[in-house]
Amino acid sequence: MNGVVAEFADQAGLDPETVEERWSGRPDRMAEDLFRVKDLDTGKIGPLALFSPYQPKIVHAYFYGDASTLNIYKGRRIGVSFIIIVCLQGNSFFPIVSSKEEQAQSRIRDLKNLFENAKIDIPMTKSVAGEIELWNGSRFKAYTGNPAGARGDDSAKTVFIDEMAFLEDQEATSRAFSPFVSLGSQGMMVE
């Protein structure tokens, strides 16, 4: 993380200690400082501003909660899927599961846009419709919610099951993808 702090501090003209203090215990601030997004009204790229209080609370639940499964009950169009994508960072494997592969690939596109528009350089070594790999080995891959498709990949830091209410068999999908996180030491399911 010191490299990210130093790079951001240098680009922002700030003292690294100031940045480190600002980000300490606040992954929501770090996300807002590092990422830029497209404004849906103007089409211009601008700073990420989390939708309070929901998105910051979800970020904190993801990073500081002690549950192995994070269930988020929500309404439509409040940015929960997007904020989980923002949280999926670190040197690990992140399966993104949805009822339709196209929807899971949309989350991969969200990640690609985040990385391409970030305030610091986030190099991608692989970027195809259903998968992204970063220079540090982090990998994000789209999966359909079909339980038969949950085989033969690495253990994961987080399995994100997007729009779980629309899966044909929620329990079967959850059971099929849970081995991804049970193999790791600190895996999490986000549903």
Side-chain angles (χ1 to χ4, degrees), residues 27-28 31 35 55-56 58-63 70 80-90 94 111 114 140 157-158 190:
D28 54 323
F35 295 119
Q55 288 180 328
I58 291 167
V59 171
H60 284 263
Y62 178 84
F63 283 102
L70 180 59
V80 171
S81 297
F82 178 77
I83 200 59
I84 292 300
I85 290 300
V86 170
C87 291
L88 300 182
Q89 308 303 319
F94 300 93
L111 277 164
L114 272 176
F140 309 86
K157 180 175 180 181
T158 302
V190 176

Side-chain angles (χ1 to χ4, degrees), residues 17-126:
E17 288 178 10
T18 302
V19 173
E20 210 164 311
E21 185 177 311
R22 174 174 165 73
W23 290 355
S24 179
R26 296 297 304 267
D28 54 323
R29 285 185 183 162
M30 183 178 179
E32 287 183 321
D33 287 349
L34 291 177
F35 295 119
R36 296 181 299 179
V37 293
K38 183 186 283 190
D39 183 294
L40 295 178
D41 294 325
T42 66
K44 294 181 181 180
I45 302 297
L48 171 64
L50 299 184
F51 180 55
S52 190
Y54 305 107
Q55 288 180 328
K57 285 183 178 184
I58 291 167
V59 171
H60 284 263
Y62 178 84
F63 283 102
Y64 300 119
D66 59 2
S68 61
T69 301
L70 180 59
N71 287 303
I72 303 171
Y73 301 99
K74 62 165 188 91
R76 304 271 306 144
R77 309 304 303 164
I78 61 170
V80 171
S81 297
F82 178 77
I83 200 59
I84 292 300
I85 290 300
V86 170
C87 291
L88 300 182
Q89 308 303 319
N91 186 6
S92 195
F93 175 55
F94 300 93
I96 299 170
V97 183
S98 199
S99 60
K100 296 180 180 174
E101 190 170 357
E102 178 183 313
Q103 186 175 349
Q105 289 179 0
S106 289
R107 301 295 73 83
I108 297 291
R109 280 192 300 278
D110 289 344
L111 277 164
K112 182 179 178 188
N113 289 334
L114 272 176
F115 299 148
E116 287 177 343
N117 295 320
K119 293 180 183 174
I120 62 170
D121 186 34
I122 302 176
M124 290 177 273
T125 58
K126 179 179 187 178

